[in-house]
Amino acid sequence: RVQLVESGGGSVQAGGSVRLSCAASGHIYSGVCMGWFRQAPGKEREGVAAIYTGGGSTYYADSVKGRFTISQDNAKNTLYLQMNSLKPEDTAMYYCAVDLSGSWAYVVAGKWTNFGHWGQGTQVTVSS
């Protein structure tokens, strides 16, 4: 059974930085897609960043490109999201998720539909 537990959220001023962590356990092997999503009040959930654990390829939404960095520590089974130059519009609940099918082509095509396992989320609030 896959379990994902996010941590690291909080409140920060615009321009600041936050690093989110996602501790993964269960049957997660190399060659899967892991990602970060966010959902702001009244808005749909959106994919923010993803990584293919088989080779380390990464993908970012345009809204965070150049500011956010996704990374993994295989030894710790942990996924990270380093968020820099934060803006008030980055305020949202952030979720970690995994696509065990490893459908990286879908991610690159913007179809983040195969992520089937989710964490409980961690709140990030950016004040102006």
Side-chain angles (χ1 to χ4, degrees):
R1 178 170 172 265
V2 174
Q3 286 189 303
L4 304 170
V5 179
E6 302 96 333
S7 61
S11 298
V12 64
Q13 289 193 327
S17 298
V18 169
R19 188 177 81 156
L20 304 182
S21 299
C22 172
S25 61
H27 299 289
I28 300 177
Y29 303 101
S30 179
V32 302
C33 304
M34 297 197 73
W36 289 97
F37 293 72
R38 67 185 181 187
Q39 187 166 21
K43 294 187 177 181
E44 292 187 356
R45 186 174 60 197
E46 64 172 340
V48 172
I51 188 167
Y52 180 63
T53 63
S57 297
T58 58
Y59 184 84
Y60 298 92
D62 288 342
S63 58
V64 306
K65 201 172 294 183
R67 299 188 299 122
F68 290 11
T69 302
I70 188 171
S71 62
Q72 57 180 6
D73 184 331
N74 292 331
K76 297 181 178 179
N77 290 328
T78 302
L79 183 73
Y80 301 101
L81 185 67
Q82 178 68 43
M83 304 189 293
N84 298 329
S85 302
L86 283 163
K87 305 174 181 180
E89 51 263 43
D90 294 318
T91 295
M93 184 72 79
Y94 283 74
Y95 299 90
C96 170
V98 62
D99 164 17
L100 296 177
S101 70
S103 301
W104 187 245
Y106 275 61
V107 170
V108 174
K111 300 177 182 177
W112 302 44
T113 56
N114 289 338
F115 287 83
H117 300 273
W118 297 83
Q120 82 288 350
T122 185
Q123 177 70 34
V124 174
T125 302
V126 184
S127 58
S128 58

